Amino acid sequence: MSLIKNISIKQYLENRNINPIKDRNYYGMYLSPFRNDNNPSFKVDYEQNLWHDFGTGEGGSIIDLVMKMDNCNLSEAIRKLQNKESVSESLFFQRNMIDKTEKQSVKQTEPKISIFKEIPIGNPALISYLNERHINIEIAKQHCSEIHYEVNGKPYYAIGFKNDNNGFILRNNFFKGCTSSDITTIDKGKSHCCVFEGFIDYLSFLSLKNEPSIESNIVVLNSVNNLNKASDFLKRHNTIYTFLDNDEAGKRCLNEIQKLGKTVSDQSQFYGGYKDINDYLCGKKQVQQKQQKRGIRF
């Protein structure tokens, strides 16, 4: 079993003609092989030889990957990986080839992100990113910042959305990451609350409404894996409006929220046929704004 888990996920995917959209030497970002994915949200950590799908919250070893991709059970996945026709020596992850010096230098799966500047959004590349998403620029400027940060001494910049841990969710055309994983809450003392998976969804909703804010309490999960962190906040409300993705992870998240015993209004039906509210916004861009507003009830 341990030998099988040393099979390189990167090489395995390459042998199946699946290559990274972005390669950072120590990790790669792919279009998810499990679902329709317009932006690379499937990460392979080359150093740990693990994968994670940010769209569904799933991840694991090479065995978990084969089980998911081939829709098979554990024993079938192991048998497939043991098959000499599908696995050659070149596939094996050379974990044992890393000497002690290299092991000491690779202590974290993710290099630390160090923020050195927070300014209003103004970089043309970031403006272009928001335009591609059809996000209202002025609305985005009220809720986000332009973050300049370093990773291993190299400078980068991204749109930053602050979370409750005083960290930032970072996004640009080539990067999805965060300085800390947490939810973002906005408490206006209301008895109802709107729940969004990510801040792009939240900005998309405001752009559809053409309003900088709404009279509702807000929870932006920043990942469906953060739902447990939002439970106490959600329990304080009588009615919860959910704007979750139309996928398996979104449905699971909705189901967990419904278990809180509150009145839950699933808004995803109003952007049915689209993966999420941003896809809906982009798809409906040519439709008159009055029709766009009518599509979302809240």
Side-chain angles (χ1 to χ4, degrees), residues 60 114 150 154-155 188 237 275 285:
S114 300
E150 288 185 350
K154 295 181 179 180
K188 296 185 177 182
H237 300 86
K275 178 183 178 295
K285 190 61 180 177

Side-chain angles (χ1 to χ4, degrees), residues 241-246 254 264-274 280 295-297:
Y241 298 87
T242 60
F243 297 84
L244 304 171
D245 289 4
N246 283 313
L254 172 63
V264 179
S265 178
D266 177 15
Q267 299 291 295
S268 67
Q269 59 183 308
F270 297 108
Y271 45 94
Y274 294 86
Y280 174 81
I296 303 293
R297 274 174 43 193

Side-chain angles (χ1 to χ4, degrees), residues 147-164:
I147 302 297
H148 291 246
Y149 61 98
E150 288 185 350
V151 179
N152 289 337
K154 295 181 179 180
Y156 301 94
Y157 54 86
I159 294 167
F161 181 70
K162 208 161 197 175
N163 62 29
D164 287 359

